[in-house]
Each structure stands twice: as structure tokens, then as C-alpha cells.
């Protein structure tokens, strides 16, 4: 069976091959760097990493672009409140995001690039839409006229034909009930950053950056567009309207969306709060590979229920595979080969590959590997595992790890990084704000154990190492 993906656009599982040659042109909506990434965001990026690795496993080359949203309503508000420029404010969270990605072993896209470096491409796209009559101006802002794009709603499979023509929305994020003409270019407001341009002074809306950056680097029709399920509407619907409104060509052939991560109610909110950063989870002593494994183990179109226990279960699973690898590499086995084990290794490899080809069914792929590991361990204990059974077993593990990448232990850096300390302090502030003083105290103690002393002042929490 060929490689196939569920396409949100057609609501069907379809065979995948790139449009041109052997290179997959792919775009991912990146993080908005206004705060630390939530583990739920990182689930989407972990899925993207698995997708990249699997496409390469199947012999494709990648040209993958991911944006970093470093200007939007929330960033501007937060930067103003902190008395910082946009760049000063977003730099710290961009850095934190890159550290999280590195901890989770997420490959860098071929191009990872901030929105604010592509304002001219956005202006050009808006000017093009304006020339085609897809926009109108109001009070210095430019809006996309949804009525000019009759296919609006085709990705979310929603009939928007009844919406009021001319009703506008100014915020970047809104509910389905609020489908309206959205801002492409926002008029400058006092104190806010803006750019001078041929379409007037202003700043881009959130949606336009993805259309502009994707088409700038990858051409008018992408092979794959990826994002979290919460982006289907309005963000991706708007990306389609902006891009296809201009080119008249399909913007992306395949739309892949990763489901939500759900926090198990009670246990989880007590131990970690509703705001879970990777740093928060890692500070509880779990290795990053366990979290990578956990995020990868549930197929991306299923909701992932993140409980207080499942990082532990994931760590145990990773440990089991490492122990098996260690046995293969260090034990002395009798000469020869047990034929049935050679067959089982080959079957496991096939099932692993078929499962990944099947819309990245990671649960099934892992089951194939673990079933073989169990049988092989039993055979080792019984003296039935022989020296010639080692290479196919190692080959299976190598193929597994090319995608899952959890067998090599991380080097533990001594102590918490500054960013990790800041993340925990942010979590503590949230815990205090919702009067969860037990959690706030727990974080204070945890930091104290790492040699970090907190001091609460009227301007917020200061900290130092001792
Ligand atoms: Zn986007």
C-alpha cells in the first residue's frame, strides 16, 4: 500500500505523492512567540517532525517552511505592557521555543523564519488582492471581502453563505459564528509598531503572513499544509481565501491537522496547573525523550489525554526498548539463527512501515515493534535467540529510531536554564492567581532545591541563584 494521509479538504484518506519531482513542498503554521509554548502546541510540532522523518524515510526530499509569528495583537499588548520593543519581547520566547524543540529532538524546517522579515511579501499580496477587487478599505485598515470568494468554508466544510456581507472583525482569532471580513492590514494605533508601505502605514493581520510566506518560498500550490486542528477556522480558511483569491489555483493539495491535547482534569491541574510547559514537565524529572515518545505515541488525529501518569509510562516504554538494545549489543548468543525469529523481525518491519504509511498510525507502528521485542526477549531467556538473529533485530530498532528518536539518552545539563526558571515562575504566578497556593509552594520548593531563590516584590517576582 502506498503512503496516504487524511486530507481535511476532501475529508478522505488519499494517496500522497508530491506534485513535482521528488521534493515535498510543505508549510507549517509556527508558534506565536508571546509566551512559552504549551505542551499541546508541542504535540503538533512533534507530529510535524514525525511527518518530516517519515517522508524522508520514504525517499522524499523536503522543502519545509515554518513561520514564527512575531507580531500580532497579543504580542503587541504584552510588549507594550512590559515596556519592550517587539523584537526584545519576542526574542526571549523564540529562544525558548527553539530550546523546547531541541529538547524534543524536533528537526528544524529547511526555513524557519519570522513574519516581520516578510512584510514586503505581505504588502505585495494585499496589493494584488486589492487590484482584483477582493478587498475594501475602512478607517485606514484593509479588509478581505469574503463575499468575493464563493468557496469560503470549503476546508472547514461550513456553509457561510448566510453571513452578512460587509460585517468586519478586527481581532485575529474568533469563533465560527463570527465568520466575517477579516483584516489584512491594520491601521496604526498610537504607541503601536507599524510599517510604511505602498498600501499605507500599518501592520499585517495574522492570517496574511502564512499565505505570503508560503507562496513566497514554495510557489502558488503547496504539497502539504500542516497545523493544529484549532487553526482550520478561521486561520486556514482565510489563508485559502487570500491565496486562491489572488492566484485562482489550489493553495495546498493536502491539509493535515493535529488533534488537541487534553489535560486530565483533577490530577493534572493539581500537579501542573492548566498551563503546562515542557519545562514544567521536565522539571518533574522526566527525560525529554519520554515526553517525545508520549507525544508521538498517539496517532495525530486522535486526541491525546495528557495525564499525570503517562509521562511515567512513556519513560518505562523507552527504558524497555533501551534495555532490549543493550541486550542485543552486549549478550553472547549461541551460533546460528532461529528461522522463526528472522521471519518475525521481517514481519515487524513490514507492519511498522505499513502502519506509518497509513496516515502515520504511530500506535500500530509501536505495537509492531513492542510485540517483536517481547517475543525476542522471551526467546533470549529460553536460549532460542541466536547470534544471526541480532542484525535483523538491530535493523528494526534502527528504523524505528530514525523516526521516533528516543533510544539515545539526553545529556543532562546541570541545573535549570534561566528560561526554565522563568517558565516555572510564570507557572507559579498563574497558580497564585487562581489561588492554588499548594502548587505555588511546590514550585518555590522545587526551585529552591535547584538553588534558585525567589523574592516577591510589588513589581513581580525576582530570582537569583545561590
Ligand atoms: Zn498559518
Amino acid at each position: 500500500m502506498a503512503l496516504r494521509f487524511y486530507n481535511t479538504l476532501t475529508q478522505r484518506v488519499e494517496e500522497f505523492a508530491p506534485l513535482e519531482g521528488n521534493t515535498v513542498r510543505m508549510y507549517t503554521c509556527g508558534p506565536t512567540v508571546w509566551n512559552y509554548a504549551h505542551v499541546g502546541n508541542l504535540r503538533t510540532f512533534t507530529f510535524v517532525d514525525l511527518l518530516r522523518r517519515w517522508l524522508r524515510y520514504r525517499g522524499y526530499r523536503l522543502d519545509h517552511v515554518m513561520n514564527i509569528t512575531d507580531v500580532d495583537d497579543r504580542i503587541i499588548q504584552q510588549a507594550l505592557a512590559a515596556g519592550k520593543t517587539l523584537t526584545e519581547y519576542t526574542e526571549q520566547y523564540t529562544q525558548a521555543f527553539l530550546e523546547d524543540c531541541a529538547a524534543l529532538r524536533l528537526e528544524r524546517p529547511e526555513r524557519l523564519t519570522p513574519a516581520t522579515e516578510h512584510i514586503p511579501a505581505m504588502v505585495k499580496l494585499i496589493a494584488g488582492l486589492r487590484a482584483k477587487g477582493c478587498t475594501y478599505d475602512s478607517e485606514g485598515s484593509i479588509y478581505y471581502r469574503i463575499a468575493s470568494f464563493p468557496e469560503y468554508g470549503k476546508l472547514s466544510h461550513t456553509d457561510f453563505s448566510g453571513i452578512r456581507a460587509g460585517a468586519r472583525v478586527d481581532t485575529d482569532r474568533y469563533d465560527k459564528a463570527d465568520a466575517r471580513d477579516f483584516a489584512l492590514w491594520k491601521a496604526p494605533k498610537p504607541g503601536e509598531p507599524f510599517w510604511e508601505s505602498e498600501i499605507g502605514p500599518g501592520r499585517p493581520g495574522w492570517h496574511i503572513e502564512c499565505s505570503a510566506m508560503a507562496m513566497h518560498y514554495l510557489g502558488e500550490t503547496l504539497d502539504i499544509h500542516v497545523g493544529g486542528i484549532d487553526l482550520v477556522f478561521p486561520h486556514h480558511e482565510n489563508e485559502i481565501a487570500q491565496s486562491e483569491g489572488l492566484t485562482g489555483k489550489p493553495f495546498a493539495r493536502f491539509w493535515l491537522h493535529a488533534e488537541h491535547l487534553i489535560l486530565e482534569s483533577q490530577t493534572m491541574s493539581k500537579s501542573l496547573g492548566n498551563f503546562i510547559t515542557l519545562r514544567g514537565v521536565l522539571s518533574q524529572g522526566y527525560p525529554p525523550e519520554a515526553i517525545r515518545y508520549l507525544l508521538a505515541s498517539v496517532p495525530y488525529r486522535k486526541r491525546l489525554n495528557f495525564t499525570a501518569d503517562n509521562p511515567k509510562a512513556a519513560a518505562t516504554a523507552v527504558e524497555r526498548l533501551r534495555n532490549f538494545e543493550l541486550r542485543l549489543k552486549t549478550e553472547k548468543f549461541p551460533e546460528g539463527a532461529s528461522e522463526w525469529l528472522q521471519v518475525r523481525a521481517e514481519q515487524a518491519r513490514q507492519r511498522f512501515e505499513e502502519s506509518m504509511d497509513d496516515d502515520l498510525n504511530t500506535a500500530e507502528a509501536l505495537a509492531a515493534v513492542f510485540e517483536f521485542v517481547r517475543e525476542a526477549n522471551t526467546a533470549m531467556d529460553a536460549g532460542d535467540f541466536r547470534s544471526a538473529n541480532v542484525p535483523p533485530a538491530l535493523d528494526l530498532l534502527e528504523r524505528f529510531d530514525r523516526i521516533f528518536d528516543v533510544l539515545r539518552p539526553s545529556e543532562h545539563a546541570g541545573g535549570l536554564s534561566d528560561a526554565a526558571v522563568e517558565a516555572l515562575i510564570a507557572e507559579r504566578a498563574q497558580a497564585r492567581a487562581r489561588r492554588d497556593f499548594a502548587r505555588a509552594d511546590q514550585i518555590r520548593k522545587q526551585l529552591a532545591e535547584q538553588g534558585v531563590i525567589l523574592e516577591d516584590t510589588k513589581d513581580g517576582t525576582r530570582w537569583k541563584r545561590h
Side-chain angles (χ1 to χ4, degrees), residues 5 17 31 38 64 106 130 134 228 237 246 285 307 312 400 404 414 422 434 442 456:
F5 300 125
H38 184 283
H64 177 197
L106 309 186
R130 186 189 243 177
C134 304
E237 208 70 80
L246 182 74
T307 69
K312 197 169 157 196
F400 153 82
F404 285 84
E422 299 278 358
R434 63 173 190 273
Q442 193 188 356
D456 293 314

Side-chain angles (χ1 to χ4, degrees), residues 34 47 79 86 106 284 291 376 400 421 432 441:
W34 72 290
F47 155 62
L86 273 192
L106 309 186
Q284 303 213 322
I291 308 306
F400 153 82
V421 172
R432 283 155 56 111
D441 270 359

